[in-house]
Amino acid sequence: MFSEQELAFLRTQPLARLATVAVNGQPDADAVGFAFENGRFYITGWYLERTRKYKHIAAGQSKVSLLIDDLRSLEPFEPRSIKLHGKAEILQLEEGFRGPGTYIVITPKVSWSSGIEGPAFQGGKAVIKKITWEE
């Protein structure tokens, strides 16, 4: 459901920030590498099973937020971003962007983008595109 411009932006970004929530309600965010394929985000890493993000999701805390952003320019100020809320699950994949292994797979539920298809601000207000993803 992303536009061609949003897909191109995602392909140029090496990192995202993944926010998960512990069973006790404590939020936690980590920088992660990612790939976006077939409408889902894929995250893996060295010793993934030892990480807080993995443990939170494995404990049933499947609601996550993912943020991919950068600054096209400081002068003038031109931020670009895609943020989403989604559902995460842990899967063992035979193939993935880092080869076979354990992946956190995120299915987007709602996403917001800004500064990718046009300016991030117009008339002093933020320009934000919202997508509600199909289930």
Side-chain angles (χ1 to χ4, degrees):
M1 295 192 48
F2 286 125
S3 70
E4 285 303 317
Q5 291 133 316
E6 290 164 325
L7 291 170
F9 171 75
L10 289 172
R11 286 191 288 271
T12 67
Q13 300 305 305
L15 290 177
R17 289 153 193 82
L18 174 63
T20 59
V21 180
V23 174
N24 69 3
Q26 177 63 51
D28 187 63
D30 290 298
V32 295
F34 72 96
F36 180 75
E37 297 174 356
N38 302 317
R40 303 197 312 173
F41 288 86
Y42 295 82
I43 295 166
T44 192
W46 299 109
Y47 310 110
L48 181 65
E49 293 87 349
R50 296 182 191 172
T51 65
R52 287 181 303 269
K53 59 187 165 278
Y54 177 93
K55 291 174 183 176
H56 295 167
I57 296 164
Q61 299 292 93
S62 64
K63 290 184 179 180
V64 298
S65 184
L66 190 69
L67 172 66
I68 304 102
D69 65 339
D70 74 358
L71 283 174
R72 184 188 328 236
S73 169
L74 284 171
E75 277 299 321
F77 187 64
E78 294 183 19
R80 302 184 299 176
S81 66
I82 293 176
K83 178 179 90 169
L84 65 98
H85 292 170
K87 182 178 179 185
E89 59 187 321
I90 296 168
L91 297 177
Q92 294 293 323
L93 300 178
E94 295 297 320
E95 293 183 22
F97 77 104
R98 299 269 166 133
T102 304
Y103 284 79
I104 294 172
V105 181
I106 300 169
T107 302
K109 299 298 181 191
V110 180
S111 65
W112 300 265
S113 66
S114 181
I116 297 170
E117 297 179 332
F121 303 100
Q122 282 185 325
K125 294 185 178 183
V127 177
I128 300 171
K129 173 185 169 186
K130 179 181 176 181
I131 299 172
T132 301
W133 293 67
E134 298 174 13
E135 295 210 26

